[in-house]
Amino acid sequence: RTQHTHTQHTTMDAVLRFCLQHEGSLPENAERTIDPQRLAWLQEALQSFTVELLDLVKTNVAIIQSEDATVETKGEALEAIQDIVEDLDNARDLHLIGGFEPVVELLKGDEPELQWRAADVVATVCQNNETCQKFAEELGVLDVALARVQGEHNKVATKALRAVSCMVRGYAPLTKAFVAKDGFDVLGGAVARDHAPLATKALFLLRCLASEASAVTVTSLLTRNDNVVQTILARLTIADGDADVWEQSLAVLGELANHSDQFLPVYKAADLTKCLAQRRAFVEQQGDGERFQEELAFADQLKALL
C-alpha cells in the first residue's frame, strides 16, 4: 500500500511553531522562551518524526521498484515522495538512502504517467538545491530529461523541461553541460511546439539563462545561431496568441537586447514593431488591462529600443 503524508511542517522551526500555536498564543521568539525541558521533548519528537518520514520515503521507493506494483500504485508512490522532498533536507536524503536513482529510472522508462511524475520529483529535488543538482549531474539526469522534452507526449515534455530548468538554473556545471548538449536547440523546438505550457517553460528558462552570470555566453551563442530568436519572433506574429507565451517571449527578447544591440536588426527585420501594434490592439479589445499589465510593460520597453 502506498504511504502518503503531507509535510508542511517538516523542518524543526516550522513544526515547533506549529506545536506552540496549538497550545495558545504564540509569543515572540517562542523557540527561545519555551521551557528547556519541553523544548528537549519537542526536539526528540521531531527527530522521531524525521525518522518516520525517511521510513515513508524508503517504503515508497520500494514500491516504485517493485515489479508487482501497478502503474497507478507507482504513480501514487511518486506523488508521496514528491510531497516529502519539498523539504530541502528530505530532498538530499532521498539520494543518500538510494532513492533518487530509482526515480530517474522511471523517467527513463516507457510509461508516460510515470515519466511525468518522475520528472516532477526530479524538479522538486533539484530546485534551489545545489547539493541535489550535483547528485543529478552525477547520475546523468540532464540527458534523460532533455530526451523527454523532445518526445511527443506534451505533459511529459512539459514536466521534463521543468526538471531541466531546476537542474540547470544557478548551477554552472549543468549550465555548461546544457549548452554543450545543444540545449538551446531543444528549447527552440519547445517554443515552436503548439503547446503553450511547454513553450512558456522554455521561454522562462531562456530568460533566466540570459539574466544570470552566464548571460554573455548565452547572448553570444544566440547571436551566432539565431534559430531560437527567430522561433520566438515567429510566435509573436500570432496577435491573439497565449498571454503567458507572449509575456515570456517579450521578456526574453528584451533581456537579449539589453545585453547586445546585435539583436535589434533581427527584431526590425521581423517587423516586430508591427507585431507589437497588432497585439496591443488585440489586448485592448479584451478589456482586461490588468491581466496583460506585465506583458504591455515588456512591449513598451522593446518598442523604446526599436
Side-chain angles (χ1 to χ4, degrees):
R1 188 171 64 88
T2 303
Q3 299 294 313
H4 199 251
T5 185
H6 293 288
T7 56
Q8 289 179 320
H9 303 287
T10 55
T11 65
M12 173 86 60
D13 289 343
V15 182
L16 177 55
R17 296 180 70 84
F18 176 76
C19 293
L20 289 168
Q21 283 174 323
H22 281 69
E23 288 194 337
S25 61
L26 181 64
E28 290 294 324
N29 301 321
E31 293 89 339
R32 298 188 183 89
T33 61
I34 189 172
D35 177 75
Q37 186 174 358
R38 179 151 181 75
L39 179 60
W41 178 86
L42 283 170
Q43 288 174 332
E44 183 179 349
L46 289 170
Q47 190 170 26
S48 174
F49 180 63
T50 301
V51 172
E52 289 178 6
L53 280 177
L54 287 178
D55 286 341
L56 279 172
V57 173
K58 291 176 182 177
T59 297
N60 285 292
V61 168
I63 290 172
I64 67 175
Q65 292 179 289
S66 171
E67 294 182 359
D68 297 327
T70 64
V71 170
E72 182 181 1
T73 301
K74 289 184 178 182
E76 291 172 352
L78 284 168
E79 185 180 358
I81 292 170
Q82 183 180 354
D83 277 351
I84 296 170
V85 299
E86 290 280 356
D87 181 274
L88 293 181
D89 290 334
N90 293 336
R92 178 202 62 201
D93 290 342
L94 176 66
H95 180 70
L96 297 180
I97 64 173
F100 195 22
E101 191 166 1
V103 171
V104 177
E105 288 302 312
L106 292 181
L107 183 59
K108 292 178 181 178
D110 56 8
E111 178 52 58
E113 176 75 14
L114 300 181
Q115 289 172 346
W116 75 255
R117 289 190 180 277
D120 252 355
V121 174
V122 170
T124 303
V125 165
C126 292
Q127 187 170 17
N128 301 320
N129 193 330
E130 185 172 330
T131 299
C132 293
Q133 287 170 307
K134 182 172 176 57
F135 293 154
E137 180 186 10
E138 293 169 353
L139 291 174
V141 187
L142 182 60
D143 284 321
V144 184
L146 285 172
R148 290 288 169 252
V149 173
Q150 297 172 86
E152 295 181 357
H153 195 288
N154 281 333
K155 187 168 187 177
V156 173
T158 303
K159 297 288 188 177
L161 185 49
R162 176 174 176 251
V164 170
S165 183
C166 290
M167 283 188 280
V168 167
R169 285 185 287 123
Y171 185 62
L174 281 181
T175 300
K176 292 178 181 178
F178 172 83
V179 173
K181 297 175 188 298
D182 296 323
F184 287 113
D185 288 339
V186 175
L187 293 184
V191 172
R193 291 225 330 228
D194 187 22
H195 187 62
L198 178 63
T200 301
K201 278 188 168 48
L203 291 160
F204 174 76
L205 179 52
L206 278 167
R207 179 183 176 185
C208 290
L209 292 174
S211 63
E212 288 181 355
S214 57
V216 174
T217 302
V218 170
T219 304
S220 176
L221 285 167
L222 293 180
T223 302
R224 294 199 304 271
N225 179 10
D226 68 353
N227 290 339
V228 176
V229 176
Q230 294 291 355
T231 301
I232 296 172
L233 291 168
R235 293 219 57 147
L236 298 185
T237 61
I238 307 172
D240 61 350
D242 180 85
D244 290 332
V245 171
W246 260 87
E247 180 180 320
Q248 291 297 328
S249 294
L250 296 178
V252 172
L253 295 180
E255 194 72 51
L256 293 175
N258 287 335
H259 287 293
S260 172
D261 57 10
Q262 295 183 60
F263 289 102
L264 295 179
V266 178
Y267 298 170
K268 291 176 181 178
D271 208 355
L272 181 56
T273 301
K274 179 180 178 181
C275 293
L276 294 177
Q278 292 174 337
R279 175 64 173 183
R280 184 173 290 273
F282 167 77
V283 168
E284 290 174 351
Q285 290 174 0
Q286 306 311 301
D288 187 3
E290 186 175 348
R291 176 187 170 197
F292 298 95
Q293 187 173 358
E294 287 194 47
E295 177 192 319
L296 293 177
F298 288 130
D300 288 339
Q301 292 168 14
L302 268 174
K303 188 176 178 180
L305 292 173
L306 294 168

